[in-house]
Amino acid sequence: MKDEQQKTPGLLLALTPVVLTLIILGTQIFYFGVFEPHIPLAIGVALASFVGVYLGLSWEDIRAGIFKVIHVALPSVSVLITVGMIIGIWIASGTVPTIIYYGLKTLSPEIFLAAGMVICALVSVSLGTSWGSVGTVGLALMGIGEGFDIPMYWTAGAVVSGAFFGDKVSPLSDTTNLAPAVTGTDVFSHIKNMMATTIPAMVIALLIYIGVGLFVIDTQSVSFEKIEGITTALEDNFYISAWALLPALVVMLLALKKFPPLPSLFAGVVVGGAFAMVTQGQSLQAVFDYANNGYSIQTNISEIDSLLNRGGIQSMMWTISLVLIALGFGGALETTGCLRSIINAIKSKAKTFAGTQVAAVGTSFATNLVAGDPYLSVALPGRMYSPVYRGMGYSTLNLSRGIEEGGTLMSPLIPWNAGGAFVISALGLGISGDNLQNLLYIPLAFACWTAPLIGIFYAYTGMFSPKASDKEREEWKSSGADIAKFNEDGTPVTE
């Protein structure tokens, strides 16, 4: 194998597989109108691999790099499998139908979007997983929004805003722990520092959703006969009771007791399955079937049937296959040095703290865009930019916040990213052909994209942009942390 320097491609060569893949991806989605990113991304893996072979890497080296990245992100696949089971089981147990029922009875269309965002945020903070929140409470909110005749992309935008922001500030979240780990800070300092962008972004989103509910969405056209039909059908087919919320409460209690998210979610599967047998009259074989193949019901009410006929491990296989291929693409780009070359080119242009902050956020977003994985979008820029912040004398808390905003929050806004693919699948957005308008959930997830803009504003004004403390500098010195050296023109020396 050649040394690392020889493997690093020039910027033009590094961009070639990325640009070609995005062109093929855009053709598939927007020209053919088919939301199936799998083949374009698989072609991207081949293109990146050709670059690696051209640079002298063997196929064994490239394959090892691909599988290394896939292995790192396998916990996300485990969550997808568990969430698939929990969706099917919680529908069968009456948990999701009960949330829909009480939501239609108690919420009003005017406050629905704002309330939905807040509910998802609270659940996500408690569970430490945005995906678990989207697949359970988020799914129920989609049903409530359907009953209120609110376009599903508006509801999805509010769900995504709340769920991914709650995940971002939960100490139980994997990405919330990953960001400080790769930048050399601690998780609670990281969460505290993120509040400067989290709170304003959530307030902005909340005000927008309140305004939309009051002045934009035509709440006068809400059919109370339709709502009555939905609630009656739910009562006819499920045992509706506050007790049906027990599986969700168990999961939240375990999370609050600091149990890991995955075992907590699986406990929700077990409790939900038991509840389905005891209160809904389901057999053990049926529960197993719902966990694997999803729930199935025919009520002759299209809103209920389209919403509740879902879940199960098999329903996640489309998303899981997309995640694995996207991870393969990201692994190929990282192994061949394409990502490193692109990041170094961006890094070399940043001569100020503000420029570096913009570059870090942009790099996280770009990694999300081309690699399709939120973990890689946090870990890779975090490792590469940390020495630059230290060399400039700024706390790496600025970096950990930036990569969370460009990584965690942007993930659900990219349809072929693991986060975006899960949102589209779990919420039943059906992005294809005539349903491409459901991609409007992306700009309507206001909290997700306003936070990075607020963070960039802070970087240029110096607000909430802490410099390294004496304690932090001492920790760098004692741990032997890398500190970047700079050229005479102020640019960091690239690797």
Side-chain angles (χ1 to χ4, degrees):
M1 182 187 296
K2 296 186 178 182
D3 61 41
E4 195 71 25
Q5 189 65 34
Q6 288 175 303
K7 288 190 303 180
T8 302
L11 181 60
L12 181 61
L13 181 59
L15 286 171
T16 298
V18 173
V19 173
L20 289 178
T21 300
L22 291 178
I23 290 173
I24 298 170
L25 195 58
T27 302
Q28 170 82 332
I29 296 174
F30 300 109
Y31 182 74
F32 295 132
V34 178
F35 182 71
E36 293 178 357
H38 303 65
I39 301 305
L41 289 173
I43 294 172
V45 175
L47 292 172
S49 299
F50 284 138
V51 171
V53 172
Y54 173 78
L55 293 170
L57 287 171
S58 68
W59 166 243
E60 287 72 22
D61 294 330
I62 299 169
R63 182 183 64 184
I66 291 173
F67 288 154
K68 178 182 177 182
V69 171
I70 290 176
H71 181 268
V72 168
L74 280 180
S76 65
V77 175
S78 303
V79 171
L80 284 170
I81 292 172
T82 309
V83 170
M85 288 191 287
I86 214 170
I87 291 172
I89 293 297
W90 281 15
I91 294 174
S93 69
T95 303
V96 170
T98 294
I99 295 173
I100 296 173
Y101 179 87
Y102 285 131
L104 288 172
K105 289 287 189 180
T106 59
L107 293 175
S108 69
E110 291 84 0
I111 67 166
F112 168 69
L113 292 175
M117 184 193 74
V118 173
I119 291 169
C120 283
L122 292 174
V123 172
S124 193
V125 170
S126 301
L127 298 182
T129 166
S130 53
W131 291 1
S133 304
V134 168
T136 53
V137 176
L139 176 62
L141 288 169
M142 295 298 290
I144 300 170
E146 181 74 25
F148 288 150
D149 281 330
I150 294 174
M152 61 194 315
Y153 45 79
W154 271 110
T155 305
V159 167
V160 168
S161 285
F164 281 81
F165 249 91
D167 178 274
K168 174 172 168 277
V169 298
S170 171
L172 302 174
S173 167
D174 44 11
T175 55
T176 304
N177 283 274
L178 178 61
V182 297
T183 57
T185 61
D186 68 275
V187 66
F188 290 103
S189 297
H190 167 65
I191 291 174
K192 181 180 178 182
N193 191 55
M194 284 195 296
M195 291 301 171
T197 55
T198 299
I199 294 174
M202 288 292 277
V203 169
I204 290 170
L206 187 66
L207 293 175
I208 291 174
Y209 291 134
I210 291 173
V212 169
L214 292 174
F215 304 112
V216 177
I217 293 176
D218 184 11
T219 56
Q220 300 301 315
S221 66
V222 174
S223 171
F224 290 99
E225 289 184 3
K226 177 181 177 181
I227 294 175
E228 184 66 26
I230 293 174
T231 55
T232 300
L234 290 173
E235 286 181 305
D236 291 343
N237 288 275
F238 297 94
Y239 169 67
I240 302 296
S241 165
W243 286 106
L245 301 177
L246 183 62
L249 295 176
V250 168
V251 173
M252 295 181 70
L253 179 62
L254 290 175
L256 292 173
K257 292 290 186 179
K258 301 190 185 308
F259 278 76
L262 193 60
S264 299
L265 288 172
F266 191 76
V269 175
V270 175
V271 175
F275 205 88
M277 290 187 288
V278 172
T279 64
Q280 308 294 343
Q282 300 289 350
S283 67
L284 179 61
Q285 191 278 329
V287 168
F288 285 173
D289 184 64
Y290 298 146
N292 185 52
N293 298 309
Y295 190 75
S296 179
I297 189 173
Q298 293 296 328
T299 65
N300 295 322
I301 296 180
S302 60
E303 292 82 7
I304 293 180
D305 293 346
S306 63
L307 185 74
L308 299 185
N309 283 300
R310 65 181 62 251
I313 293 174
Q314 299 308 315
S315 72
M316 291 292 131
M317 287 303 150
W318 185 94
T319 304
I320 289 171
S321 61
L322 176 58
V323 168
L324 293 176
I325 296 171
L327 288 171
F329 183 44
L333 290 174
E334 184 175 20
T335 303
T336 57
C338 291
L339 276 180
R340 184 176 297 274
S341 179
I342 295 169
I343 292 175
N344 277 335
I346 297 172
K347 198 166 65 172
S348 66
K349 301 296 182 183
K351 299 183 179 181
T352 64
F353 165 73
T356 302
Q357 190 73 6
V358 171
V361 174
T363 300
S364 291
F365 173 72
T367 306
N368 252 329
L369 190 70
V370 302
D373 177 57
Y375 295 94
L376 196 62
S377 70
V378 170
L380 189 62
R383 291 199 307 263
M384 296 196 70
Y385 281 93
S386 292
V388 179
Y389 281 78
R390 296 185 189 110
M392 287 184 169
Y394 277 86
S395 172
T396 52
L397 286 170
N398 298 289
L399 174 59
S400 63
R401 185 177 70 198
I403 58 178
E404 277 264 59
E405 291 164 352
T408 304
L409 292 182
M410 292 294 103
S411 169
L413 309 188
I414 301 169
W416 55 89
N417 186 279
F422 174 77
V423 165
I424 290 168
S425 175
L427 298 184
L429 296 180
I431 308 296
S432 63
D434 295 335
N435 291 328
L436 284 177
Q437 79 272 7
N438 285 338
L439 286 174
L440 287 172
Y441 87 87
I442 296 171
L444 300 181
F446 298 106
C448 290
W449 57 263
T450 54
L453 297 180
I454 294 171
I456 290 171
F457 171 76
Y458 288 158
Y460 277 100
T461 60
M463 299 169 58
F464 302 105
S465 302
K467 291 194 173 183
S469 64
D470 292 339
K471 179 181 177 182
E472 195 169 2
R473 291 176 187 272
E474 188 60 36
E475 288 175 352
W476 296 345
K477 184 178 179 181
S478 62
S479 64
D482 290 336
I483 300 177
K485 297 179 181 179
F486 289 83
N487 298 311
E488 292 183 0
D489 62 358
T491 60
V493 177
T494 57
E495 298 177 17

